[in-house]
Amino acid sequence: LGCQFQFNAVPGFTPDHHSLLGLPNGLVRPPAPSQILVNFGLQRSALCLGEAAVFTASIYPSLPGASITWDFGEPAVGTANTARGPLVTHQYATVGTYTVTMTVREGSGPTYSYSQRVTIQPATQAHLVAEPAPRCSQGPMVLRVAPIQPIGTTFRWQDGSTAAQYLATRNGRYSVEVTAPERCPARDSVEVTTLAPQVSFDPTPPICTGQQVLLTPTTQPLGTTYQWQDGSTNPVFAATAPGTYTVTVTSGAGCTSQAQVQVPFGDDCPFSLPNVITPNGDAQNETFQAVGLEPKAWDLQVFNRWGRLVYEQPHYDNQWAAAGLAEGLYYYLLVQPTSGQRLKGWVEVIR
């Protein structure tokens, strides 16, 4: 079957021919002897002004010498009102309803005609209006269609929503398609530039020592600038340590917003603790380095072999070098105060 076609039969070409209903891309059944199948195809009976109407005709079985002519029902356009052939198009100059006539002549024999109506609809009269909002505010800015549309009008915004108005909360381009009853769609768009940027981050994955996490704030319009806590100005920041990161975003209109994101340290990061240090001034293996543990997130206590506390530092910074202590074995206890996790072992000091 042919999609979106209207199908009509025309009378046969000789007194013993009979009219049959046919399809433009297939036959329900072959015509009986002495019968002719003629198809009149109109792709759509309602079009928008400026669209081309497509008309098709076919004859089965083919008749040598048969001709097909068309009258589009618009005499004001002169010679453009007529055409010949099985596939023709016509673009109407004005809105209205027109009667299209297809005429088939079998050689020098009689002619047979069939007509259909086609309606050319005007476009919806509509344009998009942005109601002012305080400059550099968080909005929202109300976007509405003017003039007021009749009952039954449909709206479709750039995100697929269908309300009669739209609340813009971010800078950017917004668009709407408006279709009034018995009219063709009108489309319009507007650029919103005077709202403060809306800045946020997606949830950030944890980080381990030696890794990096890319921090990407929400996408902003062209012309936006960025400044991070270290003064860098790229839209994306590579975080190499846990902590709080801050970005200031400035729109092309000069409005600014700020957002922060916390990069956590991973709970299951690999780590290593030394069992020997050599604080002898050669700049190698000088201090007790808790490699892979979150920096300054653990409390350290060190005991001698008799269990006496000889060193203690909250928020340990990897700087214990056994200053003032003799060579030998010492025992450490690392405590993560937030989680309560405890790590203990021994380390030998060799000078």
Side-chain angles (χ1 to χ4, degrees):
L1 298 180
C3 298
Q4 296 184 343
F5 276 77
Q6 296 180 358
F7 311 117
N8 302 89
V10 299
F13 302 135
T14 62
D16 58 344
H17 287 166
H18 306 285
S19 67
L20 290 174
L21 178 65
L23 303 175
N25 58 351
L27 298 176
V28 175
R29 58 178 176 81
S34 80
Q35 291 180 332
I36 302 297
L37 180 65
V38 178
N39 298 305
F40 184 139
L42 171 59
Q43 194 170 21
R44 295 208 326 266
S45 60
L47 298 99
C48 299
L49 185 64
E51 283 189 281
V54 180
F55 306 96
T56 62
S58 62
I59 304 172
Y60 185 86
S62 61
L63 294 175
S67 63
I68 303 172
T69 59
W70 303 83
D71 184 305
F72 301 118
E74 192 182 25
V77 298
T79 57
N81 184 52
T82 59
R84 300 175 61 90
L87 173 63
V88 296
T89 61
H90 181 70
Q91 185 169 312
Y92 287 89
T94 58
V95 299
T97 299
Y98 300 86
T99 300
V100 182
T101 302
M102 178 188 72
T103 301
V104 179
R105 178 187 295 272
E106 183 183 2
S108 59
T111 61
Y112 301 91
S113 298
Y114 189 80
S115 298
Q116 292 199 70
R117 290 176 178 267
V118 59
T119 299
I120 307 302
Q121 297 177 331
T124 300
Q125 298 300 308
H127 64 275
L128 195 52
V129 175
E131 295 184 354
R135 181 179 174 81
C136 295
S137 71
Q138 297 293 327
M141 180 178 289
V142 177
L143 308 181
R144 60 178 178 84
V145 173
I148 297 174
Q149 299 297 310
I151 295 174
T153 298
T154 62
F155 305 84
R156 181 167 294 276
W157 297 86
Q158 73 289 331
D159 61 356
S161 59
T162 57
Q165 65 179 22
Y166 192 90
L167 299 181
T169 58
R170 299 177 181 273
N171 293 323
R173 179 160 293 277
Y174 296 83
S175 60
V176 66
E177 180 181 275
V178 185
T179 307
E182 298 183 2
R183 287 180 176 265
C184 291
R187 299 170 182 85
D188 196 14
S189 64
V190 65
E191 187 82 21
V192 175
T193 61
T194 58
L195 295 177
Q198 296 285 318
V199 188
S200 61
F201 292 88
D202 290 333
T204 304
I207 192 172
C208 295
T209 300
Q211 296 179 343
Q212 71 174 18
V213 173
L214 297 180
L215 306 179
T216 306
T218 45
T219 302
Q220 302 294 324
L222 292 176
T224 300
T225 60
Y226 304 81
Q227 186 170 37
W228 296 86
Q229 71 288 331
D230 64 350
S232 60
T233 57
N234 290 325
V236 178
F237 187 85
T240 57
T244 300
Y245 294 83
T246 304
V247 65
T248 300
V249 177
T250 304
S251 71
C255 301
T256 63
S257 293
Q258 192 175 85
Q260 290 185 332
V261 61
Q262 184 72 30
V263 178
F265 196 84
D267 294 331
D268 300 318
C269 295
F271 65 90
S272 63
L273 300 171
N275 56 15
V276 63
I277 61 173
T278 57
N280 54 15
D282 65 357
Q284 297 183 13
N285 201 27
E286 292 284 315
T287 63
F288 182 76
Q289 296 281 324
V291 178
L293 294 182
E294 182 177 359
K296 299 184 179 180
W298 294 75
D299 299 338
L300 173 66
Q301 291 180 322
V302 180
F303 303 86
N304 64 15
R305 60 191 302 180
W306 294 283
R308 184 169 65 87
L309 182 67
V310 296
Y311 180 81
E312 183 175 25
Q313 184 187 12
H315 311 297
Y316 179 59
D317 60 1
N318 288 336
Q319 295 302 307
W320 181 63
L325 297 176
E327 293 183 323
L329 286 179
Y330 293 86
Y331 300 88
Y332 62 82
L333 174 63
L334 285 161
V335 178
Q336 217 293 338
T338 302
S339 66
Q341 184 179 0
R342 298 161 67 90
L343 300 172
K344 58 184 179 180
W346 58 269
V347 59
E348 184 175 5
V349 176
I350 301 176
R351 297 191 186 279

